[in-house]
Amino acid sequence: MDISTHYFKIAGLICKERIQGLDDAEQELLAQWRKESASNEHAYQKLQALEVSSLCRRYDLKNVDKSWRRFMRHERRVRLWRHWGIAAACLCGIMWGLYIYESSRDERQTGFVTERIPKTVQLQLSTGELVDLERGKSKQIIDKGVVLHVDDALEYRSDSSRIVKPEYNTLIIPKGTFFYLVLGDGTKVWLNADTRLTYPVVFPEGKREVFLVGEAYFDVAKDEKYPFVVKTKQFDVQVLGTVFSVSAYEEDAKMYTALVEGLVAVSSNQGQRFIMKSGEVAEIERGNPGQIIVSSQDVGPYVAWKDGQFCFRNSSVQIILKQIERYYDVCFVYETDIVDECYTGNISRNASLQDVLSVIEASSCITFEVKRDKIYVKRKKNCQEYNYK
Amino acid sequence: MEVKETRYIKFTDGKVLSFESFFKENFPKFFAFAGKFIGDESECEDIVQEAFIQVWTSEYNVYGTEVALQAFVYKIIRNKCLDFLKHKKIRLRVIEENLREKESEEFLLQSIIDEETRFLLYKSINKLSGQCQQVIRLHLEGKKNQEIADALGITVATVKFHKSSAYRKLGDDLKYVLLLVFNTL
């Protein structure tokens, strides 16, 4: 007998016990099942804690008649397809496939958010050629005689005896995904969504320089002779051997460097220069690139993305939603001016977009509405706003 | 042109059910069950629809018992949910442990018990009406007879009366469920 039907019996017993109680034989059966394993006992306790009012919310939600009508539409298509002859079946199959796709697309657009398939990461070789890096697929790419290995990440095996004029590669990370690579000197780099990194295939004598637009986390291989420099449009970060994160998105109003470990020097392209110690964050405002503000802070929020978390400390709504836009590749449209409420919290990036939006809706005065491929941000009616600290 | 085909499901215990009533009766339950695996509600709806289609289109339309058919559908739904999660994992790098727990046979069985019990309770409560339902609701919340009496402004004797009439009404249904599953042993 199928073991799952045994479990229907247990469900019946638990239900009866709650409503009116069990007789001796039934009591014995239930006790036996509970003793069988810790997870059985756990399931039982969970049901004891069940609140009756939650049941209505759980089941009344579904408009069953609507679902049934939708089912009948599918079913009719299935039946029609069967009636046509096999010769016609191939042609019908294609047309039917298109029809299902079209109508299921319409259904998807009402109500809930779907997550897009991320575009692939691309590598631009020194010749300008663009190569798609598909996750999980091993590839060997040869660029000017240097062989690159691609598995789940990109690793440059440099032949250090070759002194070559620096040839540059660019990694292009689209929205909705992120990437990890190891440079020719052993430096590890994690690249966040919507980021480009340009770097030489082999580091030339004298310096290690890379160019960043977007956000990246560097674990720089130690080399005192040749400092490692991350150049962005507005500022540079020079390091000796250390772990830090640089955020330099073009559309963002503020750019950051957060130092986890070691020592770096941040210099703006207007001549200002600062030495940072670990546990410090340097902030540069796009409108005022000459000024660098260094402060001692919890660097956690700045580097949490690398470990798969959204982490906010007193962040405004716009900043939070911007991160979500990049990670899930969606587009928010603000229907109301959101007052500067600030939020603090952590959300795992494993969560689906729907989950993340639910969390935000539950803990703020904001509500979301999906229309076509945009998400509209609205204010909840009758909502008291206050700052979360 | 609309051709309405009414399909029936025959069970080995002689019970016959129209597909429509099987669908409408069980859809909310299966939908909530899918929700244990996947957060995206529209995806859950799609998966449950597909599971019903699979049952409808299978040539086999005589099942053991209604309970066996339900167990079968639970499994279909769980497999589709896991496929979806695995596909998502490749796209968004979901952490392994999360998926591994949901893949286990244990998770499936606990989830079925959990869902079935909730649904049974829900149906039972909805069968009752008026004050009788209110009494049972409060009873399920753990309130004692005196507390229920005070909350509803009635006497303890009335509370007891409502309870016994509820047991009579529900008792037969619950007995049927238990009898049904006992017989499948």
Side-chain angles (χ1 to χ4, degrees):
Chain A
M1 192 218 41
D2 192 347
I3 199 166
S4 31
T5 53
H6 167 65
Y7 277 62
F8 283 83
K9 175 173 70 187
I10 301 299
L13 287 171
I14 299 177
C15 178
K16 185 156 185 259
E17 187 191 34
R18 268 200 86 171
I19 295 187
Q20 64 185 101
L22 302 172
D23 66 32
D24 290 332
E26 293 166 341
Q27 190 70 259
E28 178 57 39
L29 271 165
L30 185 57
Q32 221 173 39
W33 172 77
R34 283 171 65 184
K35 277 198 223 116
E36 255 170 51
S37 74
S39 65
N40 285 358
E41 180 64 27
H42 175 71
Y44 176 80
Q45 292 303 336
K46 215 172 125 189
L47 285 164
Q48 297 310 305
L50 169 61
E51 267 188 25
V52 174
S53 48
S54 71
L55 291 175
C56 293
R57 269 183 278 129
R58 191 183 188 84
Y59 298 116
D60 284 341
L61 234 46
K62 280 315 290 167
N63 181 344
V64 179
D65 290 320
K66 184 168 167 208
S67 299
W68 170 251
R69 283 196 297 273
R70 179 181 162 189
F71 176 78
M72 286 309 287
R73 288 200 298 272
H74 278 152
E75 182 283 316
R76 205 179 319 127
R77 272 184 235 130
V78 172
R79 211 164 5 101
L80 282 174
W81 186 55
R82 279 190 176 167
H83 281 151
W84 299 3
I86 300 209
C90 303
L91 178 62
C92 298
I94 299 168
M95 293 176 65
W96 176 47
L98 276 174
Y99 176 44
I100 300 258
Y101 174 69
E102 283 304 312
S103 54
S104 72
R105 243 188 357 155
D106 288 335
E107 247 135 282
R108 273 181 200 281
Q109 276 167 3
T110 55
F112 300 101
V113 182
T114 47
E115 292 171 34
R116 307 208 204 174
I117 302 169
K119 309 154 200 151
T120 40
V121 174
Q122 291 184 307
L123 178 65
Q124 184 170 44
L125 301 177
S126 54
T127 53
E129 180 194 339
L130 278 173
V131 179
D132 276 345
L133 301 182
E134 282 162 65
R135 230 180 259 302
K137 279 210 186 144
S138 199
K139 236 184 191 165
Q140 280 202 13
I141 308 168
I142 302 180
D143 186 10
K144 293 278 165 67
V146 179
V147 178
L148 319 174
H149 290 259
V150 187
D151 254 319
D152 250 349
L154 182 57
E155 204 171 310
Y156 284 78
R157 317 265 172 90
S158 72
D159 184 355
S160 54
S161 61
R162 301 169 63 106
I163 299 169
V164 291
K165 189 165 63 87
E167 298 287 1
Y168 290 91
N169 280 178
T170 299
L171 254 181
I172 304 164
I173 318 292
K175 279 191 192 175
T177 183
F178 69 101
F179 204 74
Y180 167 77
L181 87 148
V182 180
L183 296 174
D185 66 338
T187 295
K188 302 183 189 146
V189 189
W190 287 259
L191 298 157
N192 205 351
D194 203 13
T195 295
R196 296 169 77 106
L197 185 74
T198 302
Y199 49 92
V201 172
V202 176
F203 284 111
E205 290 280 305
K207 58 182 179 175
R208 301 184 282 167
E209 249 179 24
V210 302
F211 302 86
L212 173 72
V213 175
E215 186 165 24
Y217 181 101
F218 296 86
D219 186 344
V220 178
K222 226 182 175 105
D223 187 342
E224 273 115 13
K225 271 196 289 171
Y226 305 122
F228 190 96
V229 183
V230 179
K231 292 174 107 73
T232 72
K233 253 199 191 154
Q234 314 273 39
F235 64 98
D236 294 348
V237 181
Q238 180 177 316
V239 278
L240 284 174
T242 190
V243 182
F244 62 103
S245 182
V246 178
S247 180
Y249 283 108
E250 287 192 315
E251 332 86 74
D252 283 0
K254 286 194 180 157
M255 296 165 282
Y256 302 97
T257 300
L259 185 56
V260 179
E261 214 180 273
L263 212 65
V264 305
V266 185
S267 38
S268 74
N269 57 8
Q270 308 219 345
Q272 233 200 345
R273 194 165 197 267
F274 262 105
I275 308 261
M276 285 171 68
K277 303 197 289 291
S278 62
E280 288 187 342
V281 176
E283 198 181 286
I284 295 169
E285 250 181 286
R286 175 163 305 283
N288 192 4
Q291 198 170 43
I292 304 176
I293 304 172
V294 178
S295 56
S296 209
Q297 279 188 47
D298 171 19
V299 293
Y302 297 93
V303 302
W305 63 268
K306 177 195 153 265
D307 295 315
Q309 294 253 321
F310 289 111
C311 180
F312 309 115
R313 293 277 178 275
N314 265 333
S315 305
S316 73
V317 167
Q318 285 93 331
I319 291 179
I320 295 176
L321 294 184
K322 186 92 219 164
Q323 281 203 32
I324 292 175
E325 267 188 351
R326 286 200 180 109
Y327 186 73
Y328 291 101
D329 194 12
V330 290
C331 185
F332 288 105
V333 176
Y334 293 85
E335 282 219 341
T336 158
D337 30 76
I338 309 282
V339 175
D340 267 309
E341 297 167 55
C342 292
Y343 299 95
T344 296
N346 275 45
I347 307 175
S348 163
R349 283 175 179 229
N350 298 337
S352 70
L353 177 55
Q354 193 66 37
D355 290 341
V356 173
L357 294 182
S358 304
V359 170
I360 296 178
E361 274 191 343
S363 46
S364 72
C365 287
I366 290 174
T367 176
F368 298 103
E369 190 189 319
V370 180
K371 273 191 211 152
R372 301 213 167 261
D373 57 356
K374 296 216 198 306
I375 306 178
Y376 291 85
V377 185
K378 304 180 187 215
R379 173 188 292 291
K380 280 183 193 162
K381 299 199 191 357
N382 310 320
C383 185
Q384 289 287 69
E385 39 191 79
Y386 54 97
N387 279 337
Y388 286 83
K389 278 286 153 118
Chain B
M1 185 193 62
E2 270 203 30
V3 178
K4 268 224 182 109
E5 185 188 302
T6 316
R7 191 177 286 197
Y8 293 95
I9 311 177
K10 295 195 231 332
F11 298 106
T12 48
D13 59 1
K15 185 168 179 194
V16 176
L17 209 56
S18 79
F19 198 92
E20 181 171 351
S21 49
F22 177 72
F23 182 100
K24 289 189 173 171
E25 171 77 0
N26 291 290
F27 193 93
K29 197 167 63 175
F30 290 141
F31 178 79
F33 175 77
K36 288 182 192 293
F37 294 86
I38 296 176
D40 185 337
E41 285 196 20
S42 69
E43 194 58 50
C44 288
E45 161 99 32
D46 287 353
I47 284 180
V48 178
Q49 288 271 351
E50 281 169 33
F52 275 107
I53 289 178
Q54 201 169 315
V55 173
W56 177 281
T57 57
S58 92
E59 294 299 326
Y60 187 67
N61 67 352
V62 178
Y63 296 88
T65 59
E66 191 178 356
V67 164
L69 176 55
Q70 287 174 351
F72 179 59
V73 178
Y74 272 125
K75 284 219 185 98
I76 297 176
I77 293 176
R78 177 260 232 162
N79 291 338
K80 285 188 191 288
C81 287
L82 290 179
D83 285 343
F84 175 77
L85 286 175
K86 283 184 190 147
H87 183 50
K88 213 167 108 165
K89 173 186 160 199
I90 295 169
R91 293 189 284 161
L92 291 180
R93 285 204 179 157
V94 172
I95 293 178
E96 296 266 352
E97 279 107 58
N98 214 328
L99 189 60
R100 213 177 296 137
E101 191 225 336
K102 295 193 177 172
E103 279 180 321
S104 69
E105 193 65 15
E106 217 169 60
F107 185 78
L108 170 65
L109 297 173
Q110 306 308 356
S111 302
I112 292 178
I113 286 201
D114 191 76
E115 204 56 58
E116 283 294 313
T117 309
R118 284 173 198 265
F119 196 63
L120 270 175
L121 279 169
Y122 169 78
K123 273 201 305 181
S124 304
I125 296 168
N126 280 355
K127 278 229 157 69
L128 309 168
S129 57
Q131 211 168 61
C132 191
Q133 191 186 107
Q134 288 179 305
V135 168
I136 295 300
R137 274 182 187 277
L138 291 171
H139 163 66
L140 283 170
E141 282 173 27
K143 304 258 191 298
K144 305 280 187 295
N145 285 348
Q146 186 62 55
E147 290 174 296
I148 300 177
D150 292 339
L152 298 178
I154 52 180
T155 64
V156 171
T158 315
V159 171
K160 288 189 183 169
F161 169 75
H162 279 311
K163 274 191 180 177
S164 58
S165 71
Y167 298 160
R168 244 182 306 118
K169 250 199 211 136
L170 298 178
D172 287 337
D173 285 339
L174 288 175
K175 220 183 279 169
Y176 174 72
V177 170
L178 294 175
L179 215 61
L180 184 66
V181 287
F182 273 114
N183 281 341
T184 66
L185 277 170

